Amino acid sequence: MAFYDRMMQIDRRIIYLCMTLAVAIPLIVPIGMPVQVSDEARGFYDHIEDLEAGDIVLFSFDYEGDVMAELNPMSIAALRHLFRQGVRVVSVTMYAGGTGIAQDILEETAAEYGKEYGIDYVFLGYNPDWSGTILRLGESFKATYPADQFGKSTREIPLMQDVETYDDIALLVSIAGSALSEYWAIWAGGRYGVTVVSGNTAIQAILIYPYYNAGQIPGFLGGLKGAAEYERLVDIPGLGIKGMDAQSVAHLLMLSFIVIGNVGYFLSRRHERKLKEE
Amino acid sequence: MSADPGIWVAAILTLAIFSFLYRENPVFRFAEHLLVGVSAGYYLVQYFFSAVYRKLYVPVFDNHEYILIMGGVLGAMMFARLWRKYEWVSRYPIAFYVAAWAGYVIPSYVQVRILQQAESTMFNPMALPPAEAISNFIIFLGVVTTLSYFYFSAERKGPLKISSHVGVIFIMIGFGATFGYNVMGRISLLIGRFQFLLTDWLGIVQ
Amino acid sequence: MRSMKAVTSRPAAMYVPLSLLLFLIAFVLLCAQDVPASPARVRAADTPDDWGTCLRLTWSQAGPADQIETYEVWRYDGAAPALTIPTVAADSVDMLLKSLGWAVVDTVKITDTTFTDTGLDAGSDYTYIVAASFGATKLPSEPTVPVSPSKQYLRGATVNVLVAVAVFMALVVLLVEWARRGAKLFIRRIAGLEAVEEAVGRATEMGRPILYVPGLDPMDEVATVAAIDILGQVAKKAGEYETRLVCPNRDPIVMAVAQQVVRESYASVGKPHLYQDENVFYVTYSQFGYAAAVAAYMVRERPATNFFIGKFYAESLVLAETGNATGAIQIAGTDSDAQLPFFISACDYTLIGEELYAGAVYLSRRPLLLGALKAQDYAKIIILVAMVLGIIIPMLSPEFFETYRSLFG
Amino acid sequence: MKRQGPVVVAFIIGMLMLIQFFTPNPFFLRLYNLFLDWKQVVLGCTLILGTWSLIRYHTRRIGRRQQNWQYSYVTLIGLAFMVLAALIWKTEGGPYRWMFQNIQVPMQATMFSLLAFYVASASYRAFRARTFAATLLLIAGALVMLGRVPVGALIGGNIGGHEVTVSTIADWILNVPNLAAKRGIMIGVGLGMTATAIKIILGIETTYLGKSD
């Protein structure tokens, strides 16, 4: 096999092995690359920054364990920011698998800022059927969630006394591994006029651009980079910034493979042309 | 190194799944079958109990909202398909299931996916700085030509050929961008798994 | 007082009226600042887009803002009789209003000057008073004119959607009717679909099964309906060639429908005996549990042809890349735009977006469905024209452009 | 009853839900909520049918001693254990939750993370300047990939008074041509979805009821 053919047909397993090293090594030996903030992330940050102490935010954990790596850094950073502002948080999840994650993150961040359950934040838990839940919250929070995650009646939770419908919600934050933030924007935003900002997996984030440009979602965080940018803005370094080195190296690795493939392709074409000329 | 047996199980199964990258093997086969069984059980419990208990048992027996019995009736009708002779009965719940949402999505999609998207494509070139006007015009051009790519009623000849070719250019750039953008998300998932292995399990990285 | 003294000590008489005037102005200004005024211009009006259960109150800020603590909204059910309140002592005001049949609806923050009263009866009259309250003092406004909430049968903001839906439905009905009457409707070739026959043939030659993944979404997702349609067509071809078709499912309802469709398809080509329940089965509701099982199936059983048709999420690349590694012919079709690039890079043919919806029509060639596809194309022309107008109009008349644009928002 | 009945049901239910969008009449909202509850129960019941199908699939494999039949026991035991654990120890804690957290979640996440490898091999293969279209895919993909990591902000320079870096180009690609393509596809898909939904309600599309044409 000619050299350029080999460049074009690298075995998958070699690519896999290089990828493993490209991610593992920077995690063990960090480099510390700079992070530049995008407008989308700034929009997300500004909407939280503009809230006043006592405002109520609806925070939706719209993901399950499989995308924890990408979205947990955002949830943690956003909740820290909200609690730091003295904002009260009503939290829900649209996924059955999201309850454990939400509970852990809420408890951890609330403890950091000395927030009290039932007064500063509340976790209503999971309600099957997200579309119905989103719409029904517009009619009544307490009817949609008669009890919180721990079985306590929402009528008896002090924070819930101030929440009847979306009118009482200053901002809706959806951290989503699926199209849920779009649905929040379409239904809660479109129909009830709530401002929606979102944190999304990178794959989902690209679909948010039409909504961002149309003003339906005025700010969002895209993938681990979005999380790192936001961690930068709130000035609390976390998992996002830590992962960016591995991210950069892995990207460069992939680009190198693409370059190798293309160089091989051009060499083989030149070789073919030469053969024809002869 | 972790002393938690849960972390050990999780770490071993993580490696078992990774082994699929090299080749399909008995360890992976075991992990895959376990995942299917456990997750099928998990979702059966989550959905069956949450639906039948919360949406049927509680409303009917505790709150006396008898109209919710209908959900149980529709659900029971699905079981008719176990006997081929009565399979037609299960078409009723399916018709209900599909049509309820079909009716709901028509106006929502018309509003969000069609009208509002058309609205955001329109702009006033005079009211914008030149750079932005050019960008907006490119968007306009892209939307129009991409849409023409999906015109099925005529052969791609003449102007339609040109416009669908331009549409393909936009589509390809869009796909390239999506691909490139997604790479990041995919890698962060792997970073997450490695953080688990290196930090939670082995304790090499803090 | 000092100014008065100054005036009397001066002989010039003309200063007297001027000083008095200044004094008066100063007094008025001081009063305006010091003595609180009750909320003014209180208006109640029907809220739009509801079922006659809400009224919206607006008023202008009572002064001074730094003294007033809250606003109280009082309601009288019916047209309230004329009323004079001789006192500003909070207790007396409360007692008087309550004795006349008024009741407090709610207390509002001082920064708010609007309030929406809910839970009312359509058609009944209501009268309101807004009282500014601070300390032991309460300053009620004049009662409003009696207002009654009314029912709206149509949500105002959705009229444009209603028109668009009506136009589109009419187009579908008209063209379907046209097709029913035997009009010849032309549909151009769609590359991915031409390959279906070849793909099924190849599986037959190789004596290996065909894998059909109908997406991950439940039956009520429109893309799944399209996937089931195409499954029916693929199953007919598989039946004709007597090739095994395997269809693992993530959603149990989709499984139920798929079983029925595959069986009917086999029966329609005269091969009902080919159908076996175990070839169309449920795996697990877990997205990646399902992906793991299907990927493993591809590697172990090596199907010759893989179809990935329907709604897909991140697992798309796991499926497509594994299938690509096993060397199968792969045909994908999805409207999940985020997954399209992966299918394009790892599959032989990909139906992009709307082509998925055209696919079933194209394969079955049923005239009624062709009619509906035509309706889609005509709607597309309408949208295109509307968008082109959307950049021509602003150049002619920027004012009209805003109106025009708002028709779509 | 067998043929036309379901079509009539689809028409009535679909129309009610369609009207629901346009009117503030609370009756329709109540109806909508009711339908959603019914749908959940239907899905819950059908999951039993699905699970039955899974059990039969694996018991048959064991019965026929098909290749790898031993592994079918793993699936069946896993399934049975989860259901029993939920019944005996409830779902909030105990073995059910332990299995979910230490078996299901890590394996799902790892399966998902395999994408990092697949995306590398797929891009290596697909991003090759073979044709004009593939070249566009390659250029856009490479620019965005570079632009979305910190390195991208460092490559570039000052062009005509504007700071132009790979990151800003990547953002432009995402916000302009990419947005245009996405929007074009979105409108087309919107039309296709709406047309399909209309066909279902009007009884033009009936394949989903298992009827062949």
Side-chain angles (χ1 to χ4, degrees):
Chain A
M1 196 194 280
F3 182 63
Y4 49 77
D5 279 335
R6 229 171 269 168
M7 285 172 82
M8 282 166 64
Q9 291 161 26
I10 300 176
D11 189 88
R12 286 165 200 269
R13 288 164 213 187
I14 294 175
I15 300 179
Y16 298 161
L17 180 69
C18 294
M19 194 53 142
T20 308
L21 298 176
V23 171
I25 294 174
L27 282 177
I28 301 169
V29 193
I31 310 165
M33 295 221 177
V35 178
Q36 210 192 28
V37 178
S38 65
D39 287 345
E40 305 88 84
R42 190 167 289 282
F44 183 96
Y45 171 81
D46 286 345
H47 274 86
I48 294 183
E49 193 68 17
D50 290 345
L51 295 172
E52 286 168 19
D55 279 349
I56 299 172
V57 161
L58 179 61
F59 196 103
S60 188
F61 290 87
D62 300 327
Y63 60 98
E64 293 189 286
D66 42 19
V67 289
M68 257 161 43
E70 227 181 326
L71 297 180
N72 273 1
M74 291 179 194
S75 299
I76 293 170
L79 281 168
R80 281 176 176 159
H81 191 189
L82 288 165
F83 285 140
R84 195 170 74 182
Q85 298 270 101
V87 172
R88 293 180 288 169
V89 177
V90 174
S91 171
V92 293
T93 172
M94 294 294 127
Y95 284 101
T99 48
I101 300 169
Q103 221 169 300
D104 291 348
I105 293 181
L106 279 166
E107 277 164 18
E108 184 192 324
T109 49
E112 285 172 24
Y113 291 86
K115 298 293 177 182
E116 198 180 326
Y117 187 82
I119 294 168
D120 302 307
Y121 75 102
V122 62
F123 180 45
L124 301 179
Y126 164 69
N127 201 30
D129 177 36
W130 48 265
S131 54
T133 306
I134 293 176
L135 288 170
R136 256 184 272 182
L137 287 174
E139 305 304 315
S140 165
F141 270 63
K142 278 170 242 168
T144 315
Y145 282 99
D148 72 356
Q149 167 72 7
F150 313 101
K152 192 172 179 196
S153 166
T154 40
R155 304 208 171 273
E156 290 160 21
I157 297 172
L159 170 54
M160 292 309 290
Q161 300 316 308
D162 295 340
V163 187
E164 199 40 57
T165 63
Y166 285 125
D167 292 344
D168 306 306
I169 298 296
L171 183 71
L172 198 159
V173 183
S174 157
I175 307 291
S178 66
L180 263 160
S181 23
E182 294 160 52
Y183 292 125
W184 280 111
I186 293 169
W187 285 314
R191 199 158 168 173
Y192 296 101
V194 195
T195 310
V196 179
V197 293
S198 66
N200 302 85
T201 51
I203 183 133
Q204 209 57 46
I206 198 155
L207 302 178
I208 304 291
Y209 277 98
Y211 296 89
Y212 174 68
N213 282 36
Q216 290 159 317
I217 296 179
F220 69 93
L221 307 175
L224 201 62
K225 176 159 188 268
E229 290 170 0
Y230 181 61
E231 283 171 8
R232 186 71 175 304
L233 285 168
V234 293
D235 203 22
I236 310 173
L239 295 169
I241 288 177
K242 274 186 209 161
M244 281 318 278
D245 287 342
Q247 190 96 279
S248 293
V249 175
H251 277 211
L252 287 177
L253 175 82
M254 284 185 56
L255 285 170
S256 333
F257 274 118
I258 293 171
V259 169
I260 293 171
N262 278 291
V263 170
Y265 178 68
F266 280 112
L267 290 177
S268 77
R269 278 237 313 228
R270 213 172 58 181
H271 186 72
E272 270 169 33
R273 235 179 282 145
K274 251 190 214 154
L275 284 181
K276 265 186 203 158
E277 279 165 17
E278 279 165 13
Chain B
M1 220 176 250
S2 174
D4 179 353
I7 300 268
W8 274 85
V9 170
I12 291 166
L13 290 174
T14 298
L15 294 174
I17 298 283
F18 276 139
S19 74
F20 183 63
L21 289 170
Y22 181 68
R23 60 150 53 151
E24 207 269 352
N25 63 76
V27 180
F28 169 78
R29 218 172 294 151
F30 174 84
E32 172 234 324
H33 279 82
L34 183 63
L35 173 57
V36 169
V38 169
S39 63
Y42 175 81
Y43 283 100
L44 178 67
V45 170
Q46 287 292 316
Y47 284 89
F48 179 74
F49 286 99
S50 70
V52 176
Y53 178 72
R54 280 205 241 178
K55 301 293 175 183
L56 190 62
Y57 183 86
V58 173
V60 174
F61 291 99
D62 294 355
N63 305 344
H64 307 289
E65 297 170 44
Y66 294 110
I67 188 127
L68 282 160
I69 291 177
M70 194 57 204
V73 172
L74 286 169
M77 283 164 94
M78 283 303 291
F79 288 93
R81 56 179 312 105
L82 291 173
W83 300 274
R84 198 153 295 182
K85 199 176 158 202
Y86 299 106
E87 193 177 38
W88 60 271
V89 174
S90 70
R91 286 181 186 162
Y92 280 88
I94 291 173
F96 161 77
Y97 193 89
V98 173
W101 198 237
Y104 188 79
V105 297
I106 292 172
S108 309
Y109 286 160
V110 166
Q111 182 178 34
V112 176
R113 288 180 174 264
I114 303 172
L115 293 178
Q116 287 181 357
Q117 296 302 329
E119 185 215 3
S120 349
T121 308
M122 301 168 189
F123 68 105
N124 182 351
M126 313 299 184
L128 293 173
E132 219 172 300
I134 292 170
S135 287
N136 273 320
F137 185 75
I138 294 174
I139 292 177
F140 168 80
L141 192 72
V143 174
V144 169
T145 52
T146 305
L147 200 52
S148 79
Y149 176 86
F150 296 106
Y151 190 74
F152 302 108
S153 290
E155 286 290 0
R156 284 190 182 133
K157 275 188 267 183
L160 188 61
K161 186 175 177 184
I162 299 169
S163 105
S164 53
H165 268 302
V166 178
V168 169
I169 293 179
F170 278 94
I171 292 174
M172 282 302 157
I173 295 176
F175 284 169
T178 309
F179 201 125
Y181 198 88
N182 287 334
V183 166
M184 182 174 84
R186 302 316 186 211
I187 291 169
S188 31
L189 296 165
L190 187 59
I191 293 173
R193 290 325 288 161
F194 275 48
Q195 274 174 343
F196 166 75
L197 290 176
L198 296 172
T199 308
D200 297 355
W201 181 44
L202 295 175
I204 300 174
V205 178
Q206 278 321 304
Chain C
M1 289 301 123
R2 199 187 289 161
S3 65
M4 288 296 278
K5 236 184 219 165
V7 170
T8 44
S9 67
R10 285 193 184 219
M14 62 169 295
Y15 284 108
V16 176
L18 194 63
S19 302
L20 272 173
L21 189 68
L22 280 173
F23 178 77
L24 206 69
I25 291 169
F27 181 76
V28 169
L29 283 175
L30 280 171
C31 285
Q33 267 173 27
D34 270 342
V35 178
S38 51
R41 290 199 294 278
V42 183
R43 303 256 185 284
D46 184 34
T47 49
D49 297 349
D50 74 336
W51 199 240
T53 56
C54 303
L55 286 174
R56 188 172 172 78
L57 285 170
T58 53
W59 59 89
S60 52
Q61 175 97 38
D66 56 332
Q67 285 186 24
I68 291 172
E69 286 147 10
T70 51
Y71 290 117
E72 266 176 8
V73 178
W74 290 73
R75 183 176 75 207
Y76 181 87
D77 294 358
L83 158 92
T84 39
I85 302 166
T87 170
V88 292
D91 295 349
S92 318
V93 172
D94 283 359
M95 218 184 310
L96 183 73
L97 283 172
K98 277 180 187 154
S99 69
L100 290 170
W102 290 78
V104 179
V105 187
D106 210 340
T107 317
V108 196
K109 272 190 290 186
I110 177 64
T111 44
D112 290 350
T113 54
T114 60
F115 174 73
T116 304
D117 194 11
T118 55
L120 307 175
D121 289 328
S124 309
D125 277 334
Y126 296 95
T127 318
Y128 290 89
I129 284 177
V130 178
S133 118
F134 51 104
T137 312
K138 196 169 278 182
L139 290 171
S141 68
E142 291 291 314
T144 60
V145 187
V147 183
S148 63
S150 56
K151 290 178 180 177
Q152 279 85 43
Y153 288 86
L154 183 64
R155 221 183 279 273
T158 59
V159 175
N160 59 348
V161 180
L162 182 63
V163 172
V165 169
V167 168
F168 196 21
M169 270 191 149
L171 269 177
V172 172
V173 171
L174 269 175
L175 284 154
V176 165
E177 192 50 40
W178 199 22
R180 203 197 299 273
R181 292 192 183 164
K184 276 232 178 298
L185 302 173
F186 172 80
I187 296 294
R188 74 166 159 78
R189 233 169 53 82
I190 301 173
L193 294 165
E194 300 275 299
V196 168
E197 185 100 27
E198 172 204 336
V200 175
R202 192 174 105 116
T204 314
E205 275 166 29
M206 296 173 79
R208 290 215 206 125
I210 298 167
L211 176 71
Y212 193 100
V213 179
L216 269 84
D217 260 9
M219 201 55 232
D220 55 5
E221 173 65 46
V222 191
T224 311
V225 174
I228 288 293
D229 260 7
I230 296 178
L231 170 64
Q233 302 299 328
V234 172
K236 272 187 201 162
K237 300 240 154 64
E240 282 165 15
Y241 287 95
E242 303 206 357
T243 300
R244 195 156 83 98
L245 174 70
V246 175
C247 175
N249 287 276
R250 187 238 184 172
D251 185 283
I253 298 184
V254 179
M255 173 205 74
V257 174
Q259 287 180 340
Q260 211 160 312
V261 167
V262 171
R263 192 167 57 224
E264 297 252 345
S265 296
Y266 283 162
S268 76
V269 292
K271 308 271 176 63
H273 57 280
L274 286 179
Y275 176 77
Q276 280 174 314
D277 257 354
E278 65 195 77
N279 287 334
V280 184
F281 55 97
Y282 165 80
V283 181
T284 167
Y285 214 81
S286 153
Q287 179 190 9
F288 281 96
Y290 177 76
V294 176
Y297 178 86
M298 287 193 269
V299 174
R300 284 197 287 264
E301 310 284 328
R302 304 213 163 243
T305 304
N306 300 333
F307 287 93
F308 308 116
I309 312 270
K311 189 96 179 165
F312 288 88
Y313 299 91
E315 73 294 334
S316 65
L317 190 61
V318 172
L319 302 177
E321 194 62 11
T322 310
N324 182 288
T326 64
I329 283 199
Q330 306 204 94
I331 299 178
T334 185
D335 61 358
S336 325
D337 42 3
Q339 310 308 331
L340 278 166
F342 303 122
F343 279 140
I344 287 185
S345 66
C347 295
D348 300 276
Y349 300 96
T350 306
L351 299 172
I352 299 170
E354 205 187 346
E355 288 178 340
L356 167 66
Y357 295 102
V361 182
Y362 184 86
L363 285 176
S364 73
R365 295 265 159 198
R366 278 166 61 194
L368 300 192
L369 296 182
L370 277 177
L373 186 57
K374 279 280 167 188
Q376 263 163 261
D377 269 355
Y378 289 137
K380 217 167 289 162
I381 294 175
I382 296 175
I383 298 283
L384 281 173
V385 171
M387 285 194 293
V388 172
L389 284 177
I391 66 160
I392 295 175
I393 289 174
M395 296 191 221
L396 306 174
S397 157
E399 295 77 32
F400 180 64
F401 172 61
E402 292 308 320
T403 322
Y404 176 75
R405 198 177 145 138
S406 68
L407 294 177
F408 297 86
Chain D
M1 198 56 182
K2 291 183 188 177
R3 288 273 161 193
Q4 285 311 310
V7 178
V8 174
V9 167
F11 177 76
I12 295 170
I13 302 282
M15 274 313 207
L16 286 172
M17 284 299 91
L18 178 62
I19 294 166
Q20 184 271 155
F21 183 87
F22 298 105
T23 174
N25 190 330
F27 167 75
F28 285 97
L29 191 71
R30 265 207 300 278
L31 204 64
Y32 172 70
N33 288 336
L34 200 61
F35 283 0
L36 289 178
D37 288 349
W38 292 355
K39 273 179 70 181
Q40 274 182 47
V41 178
V42 172
L43 177 62
C45 292
T46 319
L47 258 173
I48 296 182
L49 277 177
T51 310
W52 176 237
S53 147
L54 178 70
I55 294 170
R56 290 234 304 175
Y57 178 82
H58 285 285
T59 45
R60 265 201 210 112
R61 288 188 77 84
I62 295 169
R64 292 186 197 151
R65 294 287 187 270
Q66 277 172 348
Q67 215 187 352
N68 296 319
W69 59 274
Q70 302 90 335
Y71 294 92
S72 289
Y73 279 119
V74 178
T75 299
L76 292 175
I77 292 169
L79 171 67
F81 184 83
M82 286 302 271
V83 175
L84 288 176
L87 290 174
I88 298 169
W89 294 285
K90 302 288 170 235
T91 54
E92 281 76 34
Y96 177 81
R97 199 161 170 74
W98 191 91
M99 294 280 283
F100 173 68
Q101 278 177 334
N102 296 306
I103 292 182
Q104 190 178 332
V105 169
M107 276 204 277
Q108 283 178 357
T110 311
M111 206 56 217
F112 199 169
S113 76
L114 292 187
L115 285 170
F117 300 103
Y118 291 151
V119 92
S121 61
S123 64
Y124 165 69
R125 220 180 41 242
F127 284 13
R128 218 162 272 180
R130 285 201 195 87
T131 60
F132 178 62
T135 312
L136 287 172
L137 191 83
L138 162 68
I139 294 171
L143 282 172
V144 170
M145 220 187 283
L146 260 183
R148 299 302 298 177
V149 285
V151 184
L154 306 175
I155 311 168
N158 199 309
I159 301 172
H162 294 280
E163 187 69 26
V164 177
T165 63
V166 174
S167 287
T168 56
I169 296 172
D171 282 346
W172 187 84
I173 291 176
L174 285 171
N175 277 309
V176 179
N178 166 60
L179 174 81
K182 288 275 139 66
R183 194 177 275 165
I185 293 176
M186 195 195 258
I187 295 175
V189 167
L191 287 170
M193 284 176 155
T194 314
T196 309
I198 291 175
K199 284 187 281 182
I200 288 169
I201 294 180
L202 298 182
I204 299 165
E205 164 68 77
T206 50
T207 314
Y208 75 97
L209 290 171
K211 293 180 178 182
S212 62
D213 34 70

